[in-house]
Amino acid sequence: MTTPIATTPAAPVIPPAERARMEAAGPEMLRAENIVKVFGPITALDGVSMSLRRGEVLGILGDNGAGKSTLMKILTGYQPPSSGRLFVEGVETRLRSVDHARTLGIECVYQDLALANSLSVYHNIFLNREILYPGLHVLNNRAMRREAARCLEEIGVYVPSVEAEVGSLSGGQRQAIAIARAVYGKARILLLDEPLAAMGAREAALIVELILRLKRENAISIVMIMHNYAQTLDIADRIMLMQRGRVTYENAASATSVPELMAIVRREYQHFQAHRQESA
Ligand SMILES: Nc1ncnc2c1ncn2[C@@H]1O[C@H](COP(=O)(O)OP(=O)(O)OP(=O)(O)O)[C@@H](O)[C@H]1O
């Protein structure tokens, strides 16, 4: 378990040119201001601020224990911050639960995907919000099959059949089904936890294409937690680097590079070591 300590950020967090571009971009969908999250003696988030514009893809990078998942859980209403403010589409909001966040159009796809492997594709898309015949407690499978096929076609996800068992699908197809389920729930803001983890090149390409299509054609705003720098720079519009509970760098993906990010990580680490030696 890491205990983050305060260090001086390695670089100005948002370069002025990027701030100007962000301000000129579409409406702000999500904003977090000065979020702190404390677990007993551990400060998992130490004053994190972030924003997400309409139709933007933000990649959050950072080593293990940087605070990425904690931030994600706060943004989805899974857990409250210890302090700090959240704004959804410009309105200050206290997310009371994941269901509350959902009503505001915020959906999350966690790494475990939370799919029911023994159920069909369409049952998974309608899990916990099944279509019933009016006035009866009977599943309307026909309507669910039809709606699932329509939703998958709309976002360009191809599966052998909506009746296929989810457990029989590939990792990429399963990730796509989990994303489709979130999108069917009318997501305007989609948070993806390591969407390309443990995927081969072809599978990853399928998900990258889906993410870019959702952004382009559905104007969905997407936050992705990522580990792979190069992949993130390829997909995201903007990247945010987290280290020890803080945002240490933020920029347009096109304005930075893997070597630059590595140098920032190294510099911040040296800073942290020097600080630790001083306080020892
Ligand atoms: N429920 C909790 N109780 C105590 N400490 C926690 C809890 N959740 C997270 N932490 C601590 O907060 C810090 C940040 O953890 P977090 O999981 O957010 O990091 P992360 O960047 O997502 O890491 P990883 O990439 O390994 O998932 C770590 O030191 C972690 O041990």
Side-chain angles (χ1 to χ4, degrees):
M1 201 178 282
T2 338
T3 307
I5 64 161
T7 58
T8 313
V13 169
I14 310 183
E18 174 52 11
R19 184 174 292 285
R21 191 200 66 81
M22 279 165 66
E23 281 161 11
E28 192 173 62
M29 297 300 288
L30 191 61
R31 178 152 54 98
E33 275 184 15
N34 212 15
I35 300 289
V36 173
K37 181 70 184 179
V38 176
F39 297 104
I42 295 167
T43 305
L45 297 177
D46 187 11
V48 168
S49 297
M50 54 80 66
S51 77
L52 181 70
R53 301 266 159 186
R54 181 148 184 252
E56 183 179 46
V57 178
L58 172 69
I60 301 185
L61 288 162
D63 290 338
N64 297 117
K68 307 178 298 296
S69 305
T70 304
L71 177 63
M72 192 85 135
K73 286 177 187 161
I74 289 171
L75 297 178
T76 54
Y78 182 83
Q79 62 190 19
S82 306
S83 64
R85 303 166 78 190
L86 279 180
F87 297 80
V88 180
E89 297 190 55
V91 179
E92 184 162 6
T93 310
R94 265 184 55 196
L95 297 177
R96 293 186 300 276
S97 63
V98 170
D99 284 342
H100 178 212
R102 235 172 234 150
T103 63
L104 300 174
I106 303 173
E107 290 272 352
C108 185
V109 178
Y110 288 103
Q111 258 183 71
D112 65 8
L113 304 181
L115 294 172
N117 282 332
S118 58
L119 295 183
S120 69
V121 167
Y122 77 87
H123 279 117
N124 269 279
I125 289 179
F126 285 94
L127 212 57
N128 297 325
R129 54 176 176 213
E130 289 78 5
I131 302 178
L132 303 176
Y133 284 102
L136 299 173
H137 289 290
V138 179
L139 295 181
N140 187 341
N141 286 306
R142 215 164 71 167
M144 288 193 287
R145 276 196 296 269
R146 192 184 56 230
E147 274 296 286
R150 189 190 58 73
C151 164
L152 293 176
E153 193 185 331
E154 199 175 294
I155 62 171
V157 171
Y158 299 98
V159 288
S161 153
V162 290
E163 297 187 49
E165 248 184 40
V166 155
S168 70
L169 301 178
S170 70
Q173 286 170 326
R174 286 160 41 75
Q175 177 73 241
I177 298 301
I179 294 176
R181 183 170 66 180
V183 171
Y184 189 78
K186 306 277 178 279
R188 290 194 297 279
I189 299 165
L190 190 57
L191 296 111
L192 305 175
D193 189 3
E194 287 279 342
L196 308 181
M199 262 181 217
R202 265 186 54 193
E203 301 257 270
L206 177 89
I207 299 304
V208 170
E209 202 183 301
L210 174 57
I211 290 172
L212 296 179
R213 202 175 311 119
L214 290 175
K215 159 198 157 76
R216 203 174 49 236
E217 288 168 25
N218 304 62
I220 292 181
S221 311
I222 298 171
V223 180
M224 319 176 289
I225 288 187
M226 298 283 284
H227 272 115
N228 185 311
Y229 289 19
Q231 248 173 358
T232 312
L233 292 181
D234 274 352
I235 312 164
D237 297 300
R238 201 151 51 82
I239 59 100
M240 188 169 115
L241 182 62
M242 290 184 68
Q243 292 174 276
R244 287 180 276 276
R246 289 182 155 203
V247 178
T248 51
Y249 186 68
E250 202 175 332
N251 206 346
S254 59
T256 187
S257 63
V258 174
E260 184 183 18
L261 292 172
M262 304 284 272
I264 292 165
V265 170
R266 239 187 342 263
R267 205 159 58 220
E268 167 68 13
Y269 180 70
Q270 283 161 357
H271 223 94
F272 166 70
Q273 292 290 56
H275 179 93
R276 202 154 67 166
Q277 275 161 14
E278 269 170 35
S279 11

